[in-house]
Amino acid sequence: MAVQPEGTPCWADATFADLAGAKRFYGAVLGWTFDEGAEEYGGYSQAYADGKPVAALAPPMPGQEPGPAGWCLYLASPDVAATAAAVRDRGGEVLMGPMEVGDFGSMLLAREPGGTTFGAWQANRHEGFGAYGQPGAFAWAEVYTREPERTDAFFPAVFPYRLKRMADEHIDFKVFQLGDAPVLGRMRMGEEFPPEVPPYINVYFGVADCDAAVAAATGNGGTLLAGPMDTPFGRFASVRDPQGAPFSVIDLSAAQGEMPDLSDDAA
């Protein structure tokens, strides 16, 4: 695939204390296969769906205290050094990098002012996702934040996003667009989220059957958080894997209902 436009979600990975257990779980739920992971990159193991790279799992780095498991979403950048400067200028924090990863590309990890951690990836030999939307592949993502005003101001200042508001009086939900294409959602975390749950990015992976994926998740030690439910975007459910990382599964072919209206937002 070609290198994606700036701000496009282009990769996702997660660190697990029990890497073998994570591979068994995601293999059962999403049908992933894995490479062995090169020692020079700390055992970073790439996941494949239908032979295409779709994500990666990794063990903690040597000497690193295992933290809460969670998925990290990387946004495409033509220049991670410039992205790092923009992150700092807009009140974010650069946690790691910018740094080259061999000849694969360059990356950074950052935290936006609302508290969500994300990555940026400047592609070289590794261009990111080999597929979008198909079963096992990345389908969508949403930033969950308790400080939406700060989040809404930050991301369009760092990436070339247009901000749209969803017309729904029951939720505070916005969409970051590149041109007319929606690429990332933003959800306000309400009282249904316990205080100990930190802001995070909820990554959606495509599945052929949402209910079957939920059954596989719960049958392999995962926890159902919400759903399954029908939406105009597809039938989806949110789950938590056995090591605590939340994510969602969605059957994009099972969309029901009318798409919600989106209006320009001046945030």
Side-chain angles (χ1 to χ4, degrees), residues 29-75:
V29 176
L30 298 175
W32 287 350
T33 58
F34 301 90
D35 62 23
E36 290 300 317
E39 289 186 11
E40 61 265 37
Y41 297 109
Y44 192 85
S45 182
Q46 193 157 255
Y48 298 85
D50 195 25
K52 299 172 183 177
V54 290
L57 309 182
M61 292 185 291
Q64 176 186 2
E65 287 292 329
W71 282 94
C72 180
L73 182 71
Y74 293 79
L75 306 173

Side-chain angles (χ1 to χ4, degrees), residues 19-241:
L19 182 61
K23 288 183 175 181
R24 286 193 298 271
F25 176 81
Y26 285 98
V29 176
L30 298 175
W32 287 350
T33 58
F34 301 90
D35 62 23
E36 290 300 317
E39 289 186 11
E40 61 265 37
Y41 297 109
Y44 192 85
S45 182
Q46 193 157 255
Y48 298 85
D50 195 25
K52 299 172 183 177
V54 290
L57 309 182
M61 292 185 291
Q64 176 186 2
E65 287 292 329
W71 282 94
C72 180
L73 182 71
Y74 293 79
L75 306 173
S77 168
D79 184 340
V80 289
T83 299
V87 165
R88 295 188 182 101
D89 289 345
R90 298 299 178 173
E93 179 184 4
V94 176
L95 305 175
M96 179 184 295
M99 60 183 288
E100 293 184 355
V101 185
D103 63 351
F104 294 103
S106 300
M107 57 84 69
L108 63 80
L109 294 178
R111 183 182 294 119
E112 52 92 15
T116 306
T117 299
F118 69 98
W121 179 251
Q122 180 181 340
N124 189 3
R125 188 158 65 88
H126 193 298
E127 296 181 350
F129 294 128
Y132 285 85
Q134 71 181 48
F138 173 85
W140 180 246
E142 293 161 352
V143 180
Y144 278 58
T145 175
R146 291 186 177 86
E147 300 185 79
E149 295 82 7
R150 302 181 75 186
T151 300
D152 293 349
F154 174 83
F155 278 106
V158 175
F159 298 99
Y161 295 145
R162 295 173 56 203
L163 195 59
K164 295 276 191 174
R165 175 184 290 276
M166 181 179 289
D168 188 329
E169 63 182 17
H170 302 293
I171 61 172
D172 180 353
F173 186 86
K174 295 184 182 178
V175 174
F176 297 113
Q177 294 191 171
L178 290 174
D180 293 326
V183 296
L184 186 64
R186 192 279 290 153
M187 175 74 79
R188 179 194 290 269
M189 297 173 73
E191 294 179 355
E192 69 273 19
F193 290 89
E196 64 270 18
V197 176
Y200 68 100
I201 295 183
N202 183 29
V203 177
Y204 289 68
F205 294 106
V207 292
D209 184 322
C210 180
D211 297 72
V214 168
T218 56
N220 284 274
T223 303
L224 178 62
L225 300 177
M229 64 185 75
D230 295 317
T231 77
F233 308 99
R235 184 166 174 81
F236 88 96
S238 296
V239 300
R240 183 168 55 234
D241 74 26

